Amino acid sequence: MARAGKVSWALFNPKTYATILYLLLSLPLGIIYLIVAVTGLALSICLTPVFIGIPLFFGVAKMLDGMVKFEQSLIRHILGLPTPPASAAPSQPQTAVGQNWLQRMVKGFDGELFFRNLMLVFLRFVTGIVFFAVMVTAISLGLGFIALPVVHIILMNEMQLDILENNLFQYFHIDWTYNQQYLLYVGFGLVLFLIALRVVNGLMQVQRRIMYVDESYLQPSTEPVETQFHAPAEPHYGEFRQEDQLAQEKVWLA
C-alpha cells in the first residue's frame, strides 16, 4: 500500500485538484473538529457530578472515533485507495446479555484509541492551518507570475501604471522588451505552478501518514496457519473415474 495512492502527472490528474479542494476545506474542518472535541470534553468533565458527564464522555469518545474514520475514508476516496477489509471482531452476544447501556459503553471503551483520536484531532487542526498556508502560498506564486503580463497590460491601458518599470532587468541594465519579459514571467510561473502541484500531493501523502490511513490494510489475516499451509489436497473427479475404469478392466480380464 506504500505505492498505492501516489499521484503521477500532477497537472492532468484529477486527484491533484481533489487534494486542493480537500486542503482548502481542511482549515474550517479542523476548526470544527477542535471546537466539538474541546466543548464535548469540557461539558463531560463539568457535568460529571450530576452523572450526565459520564455518558457524555463516552459519547464524545465515539464522536472522536467517527471524525477520525471520516477523515481516513475521505483521504482514501481522494487517493483512490481500495476499501479496507472489515475487521473481524468477535461478537460476544452472551456477555452483552443482562448488561445495561452504561456497562456496554464502558466495556467498549478503548483508552488508548481515545487518546490517539484526541491527538489526531489536534494534529488535524494544526496541519489544516499549516497545509492551507503552504498550499495557498505555493499556488499563488505560480499563478501570480502567469497572470503578470495580463495585469500589466490592463494597468497600462486603464491607469497608465507601469509595474514593470523598476525591475531586475533595469537594475542589471538588460534591455529586454515587454514581450520578452512576458515570456520569461509566464515560463517561470508555469514551473512554479508545477512545483506547487507536487507540493500539494506531497502534503496529502503526509496527511495520509498522520491520520493512519494505511493502518487498516496492515491487519493480520484471521485464517488459521494450519489451514493456510496444511490444507489437504482433494483428488479430482477425473482421477476417481480413471481408477474405476482400471479396476473394471482388471475384473474383465480375470
Side-chain angles (χ1 to χ4, degrees), residues 201-219:
N201 291 317
L203 294 177
M204 190 55 153
Q205 296 299 325
V206 174
Q207 187 75 6
R208 169 186 174 180
R209 287 169 173 79
I210 290 176
M211 297 303 296
Y212 293 97
V213 174
D214 296 334
E215 184 183 28
S216 55
Y217 299 104
L218 303 177
Q219 295 177 354

Side-chain angles (χ1 to χ4, degrees), residues 190-202:
L190 287 174
V191 173
L192 287 180
F193 184 70
L194 292 176
I195 294 174
L197 295 183
R198 300 301 299 177
V199 170
V200 166
N201 291 317

Side-chain angles (χ1 to χ4, degrees), residues 100-113:
N100 56 24
W101 59 270
L102 183 59
Q103 291 175 340
R104 290 195 297 269
M105 291 178 69
V106 173
K107 192 173 184 62
F109 177 74
D110 188 351
E112 183 179 354
L113 182 63

Side-chain angles (χ1 to χ4, degrees), residues 34-98:
L34 184 65
I35 292 175
V36 171
V38 172
T39 305
L41 289 176
L43 287 176
S44 62
I45 294 173
C46 295
L47 297 177
T48 300
V50 293
F51 188 73
I52 303 176
I54 298 176
L56 182 60
F57 173 77
F58 292 112
V60 172
K62 281 287 185 182
M63 188 166 49
L64 290 177
D65 188 56
M67 290 177 184
V68 173
K69 288 182 178 178
F70 171 73
E71 282 292 320
Q72 291 175 344
S73 63
L74 196 60
I75 295 174
R76 265 188 232 108
H77 181 70
I78 291 174
L79 295 179
L81 297 174
T83 304
S87 58
S91 59
Q92 300 176 353
Q94 297 180 356
T95 59
V97 175

